[in-house]
């Protein structure tokens, strides 16, 4: 009886754990992809860095 319960319970639990891990990895990749798209502040042109209002 114990083997039957293990056979019925373990696979769904393993599936849920794998789903959560893959989902977190997927979300982290999406977030890092949006960071790459953002403009780097150090990549400004000289005209944007200085002001002519002396």
């Amino acid at each position: 009886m114990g083997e039957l319960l293990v056979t019925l319970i373990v696979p769904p639990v393993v599936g849920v754990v794998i789903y959560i891990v893959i989902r977190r990895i997927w979300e982290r990749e999406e977030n890092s992809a949006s960071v790459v798209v953002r403009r780097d502040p150090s990549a400004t042109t000289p005209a944007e860095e200085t002001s002519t209002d002396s």
Side-chain angles (χ1 to χ4, degrees):
M1 184 69 175
E3 291 176 4
L4 178 62
L5 287 176
V6 169
T7 304
L8 293 175
I9 293 173
V10 170
V13 171
V14 170
V16 169
V17 170
I18 291 174
Y19 168 76
I20 292 170
V21 169
I22 291 174
R23 185 174 159 199
R24 289 194 181 200
I25 292 171
W26 189 283
E27 288 177 356
R28 186 173 55 195
E29 287 179 359
E30 286 180 351
N31 290 339
S32 66
S34 65
V35 170
V36 172
V37 172
R38 278 197 245 162
R39 185 175 172 191
D40 184 14
S42 64
T44 58
T45 61
E48 293 174 352
E49 290 176 357
T50 58
S51 173
T52 58
D53 297 334
S54 301

